[in-house]
Amino acid sequence: MNIWLVNHYACPPSGAGGTRHHSFAANLMRRQHEVLVVAANYSHVTFETRSVDTRAGCRVSEECGVKYLWIQTPPYRGNSLKRLWNMAVFSWRFSGAVRHAGLAKPDVIVGSSVHPFAALAAERYARKHQVPFVFEVRDLWPQSLLDMGAFKKWHPFIVLLDWIETYLYRNAHKIVTVLPFGAEYMKRKGVPAEKVVWIPNGVDFTIVPPPVPPPDARPFVVIFAGQLVNKSGVNVLLEVAAKLKAQGWQDRILFRIYGFGVDRELLQEQVRRDGLANVEFKNPVPKTEIHAELAKAHAFYLYIEDSPLYHWGFSSNKLFDYFAVARPILFASSARYDPVGDAKAGITVHPKDVAGMVEALKRLSELPEAERWEMGKNGRQYAEANHDMKLLTARLESTLAMAIENGKSQRPN
């Protein structure tokens, strides 16, 4: 198969960000398929811009063994109109960039809904060239915006997104969702269950070293790695750090935070204002290096908002990286999907229970090292059994083959 994976925010492991589609591409290539990843040249994570041919607005390059088509998009910071413009430019330039690059027509196109306009651009190209289209649902648009309270149901933008979502569901030959209960949501939209396949995020164990026991050194190090925005719960983590300081634990538990994001400066100012010497900020590191950094932890922190947004589940990239490194996880969540609990790989606390998080971290820090190591190994084994990218790629390969077969017999309405 000649496969195109269209994900606005895709990046190789040499960069910082989600590498799901790079891993899919690399594994599909090992299975003798030809693969292209289509992504924007501006990084949502690091705010860096990859060079492109500015006249053509694109560039083809090989990154860590995988072929990429980079589409030129304008820079932005945060959830602003500039970000919306960045999305629109990516989608608008898609067909022209493909034409300029002189690429052979694919056998199947996957359009990922990190935002719906990119998936729509992929579908329109697929329809024009009579290529099967697979819709990958990462976030539920517009339901996510409604759950966050950002818009009312009848706002024109929401109406537009709802139309795009319905259109893509109807016209996809197959639908892939990273959400464990995504099919339930889509059923409400009239999507038959047999059209939907759950393929969560996972771990590329080809770039992850074997797990090693945590360091003997003190203090007890808790690591968070990800986007520094309020919904990631770093602000809550700072509340935990402040309470530990007030209880005389400042020298016993250290929080190390890796990442950029629109709230980083505000969070750093809060650390300075509250005198939290038990909190350190680090810049994000490439995927090829992150696991060595994570191995310096004694435990990890993952936060999922107490919000209807997560009723259908979640598939956090950082969770599977945490599992892979084999450390216990403080999981702040009230979601019905609890992989940390399922794996027996840490402690789950309600995301509004700051005092409970404080006590959970104290308990983890005082557990015998062998017990913490056992929790960590449980997480590693859970990831190997359920989230190995080789296994997930085989599921995707089968889904793409079915989409091509469906495309031969009928065209979606």
Side-chain angles (χ1 to χ4, degrees):
M1 289 184 283
N2 181 4
I3 303 161
W4 289 5
L5 305 176
V6 181
N7 175 1
H8 187 134
Y9 302 134
C11 79
S14 57
T19 57
R20 170 183 174 88
H21 290 91
H22 183 96
S23 294
F24 276 148
N27 280 294
L28 286 166
M29 290 168 65
R30 293 185 188 107
R31 292 169 176 264
Q32 306 306 308
H33 300 293
E34 185 177 348
V35 188
L36 173 75
V37 177
V38 185
N41 76 321
Y42 178 74
S43 171
H44 175 70
V45 175
T46 64
F47 314 130
E48 296 172 340
T49 300
R50 292 179 180 270
S51 62
V52 296
D53 181 341
T54 54
R55 292 172 298 176
C58 65
R59 179 171 67 96
V60 175
S61 68
E62 184 177 298
E63 308 288 342
C64 301
V66 171
K67 188 177 181 180
Y68 278 76
L69 171 62
W70 301 105
I71 297 178
Q72 185 178 25
T73 57
Y76 65 90
R77 294 286 183 105
N79 293 319
S80 62
L81 288 176
K82 287 185 176 180
R83 182 179 183 186
L84 186 61
W85 176 239
N86 175 282
M87 295 177 182
V89 168
F90 178 87
S91 304
W92 171 60
R93 286 181 170 165
F94 177 82
S95 290
V98 167
R99 185 171 57 253
H100 184 273
L103 300 167
K105 187 175 83 169
D107 297 312
V108 61
I109 296 179
V110 178
S112 184
S113 72
V114 285
H115 64 78
F117 305 110
L120 180 62
E123 190 282 334
R124 298 307 294 168
Y125 183 92
R127 173 174 287 271
K128 179 179 179 181
H129 296 275
Q130 298 186 323
V131 174
F133 168 68
V134 175
F135 181 28
E136 183 190 60
V137 179
R138 305 283 295 276
D139 297 312
L140 297 174
W141 298 77
Q143 189 61 47
S144 296
L145 296 176
L146 293 172
D147 289 341
M148 289 189 293
F151 293 90
K152 298 296 184 183
K153 183 176 181 179
W154 298 112
H155 189 283
F157 186 54
I158 295 298
V159 173
L160 172 63
L161 292 178
D162 184 68
W163 179 87
I164 293 173
E165 177 189 50
T166 302
Y167 174 87
L168 292 173
Y169 285 159
R170 185 175 66 246
N171 289 283
H173 289 84
K174 295 291 286 187
I175 299 170
V176 170
T177 178
V178 302
L179 304 174
F181 308 116
E184 294 179 16
Y185 171 84
M186 294 171 201
K187 183 178 180 181
R188 297 184 179 189
K189 296 281 187 173
V191 179
E194 62 271 16
K195 194 175 184 177
V196 184
V197 181
W198 177 42
I199 307 180
N201 286 320
V203 180
D204 185 350
F205 285 102
T206 65
I207 63 171
V208 179
V212 294
D216 293 332
R218 291 290 171 171
F220 186 81
V221 176
V222 180
I223 285 182
F224 168 89
Q227 284 282 293
L228 301 189
V229 295
N230 277 341
K231 74 174 185 176
S232 66
V234 179
N235 56 331
V236 178
L237 191 63
L238 297 188
E239 291 183 45
V240 173
K243 286 188 177 294
L244 285 167
K245 175 189 175 185
Q247 295 173 18
W249 279 65
Q250 179 164 277
D251 296 330
R252 298 173 68 177
I253 298 180
L254 173 69
F255 299 94
R256 191 170 292 152
I257 299 169
Y258 290 82
F260 285 143
V262 293
D263 293 320
R264 175 166 168 147
E265 291 183 3
L266 290 174
L267 293 166
Q268 288 177 310
E269 176 56 34
Q270 182 178 341
V271 166
R272 288 190 291 268
R273 185 180 64 246
D274 295 342
L276 300 178
N278 53 346
V279 177
E280 297 177 351
F281 285 88
K282 301 284 187 179
N283 290 340
V285 298
K287 194 77 167 185
T288 50
E289 301 173 18
I290 187 60
H291 299 100
E293 291 297 312
L294 295 179
K296 299 174 183 177
H298 295 92
F300 298 122
Y301 168 77
L302 179 66
Y303 177 93
I304 301 295
E305 283 183 299
D306 183 26
S307 166
L309 184 65
Y310 300 104
H311 177 73
W312 314 106
F314 60 92
S315 193
S316 169
N317 281 305
K318 68 175 73 69
L319 170 62
F320 305 115
D321 287 327
Y322 294 168
F323 276 156
V325 176
R327 300 288 185 270
I329 300 167
L330 172 60
F331 184 39
S333 172
S334 60
R336 57 174 170 155
Y337 177 53
D338 182 3
V340 173
D342 293 343
K344 297 181 174 55
I347 300 175
T348 301
V349 180
H350 196 282
K352 294 182 179 178
D353 186 5
V354 175
M357 294 182 212
V358 169
E359 293 307 311
L361 285 178
K362 286 182 178 179
R363 181 148 50 103
L364 280 174
S365 72
E366 293 179 329
L367 280 177
E369 183 178 317
E371 288 189 36
R372 290 201 306 270
W373 180 226
E374 191 64 29
M375 284 185 182
K377 288 190 294 184
N378 288 344
R380 171 80 180 210
Q381 291 165 6
Y382 182 87
E384 289 174 343
N386 299 283
H387 295 279
D388 187 332
M389 286 302 297
K390 289 183 179 178
L391 302 176
L392 301 179
T393 300
R395 201 181 306 175
L396 177 63
E397 181 185 40
S398 175
T399 302
L400 298 180
M402 285 189 286
I404 291 174
E405 189 62 31
N406 292 346
K408 291 177 182 178
S409 59
Q410 63 181 9
R411 183 73 195 175
N413 296 324

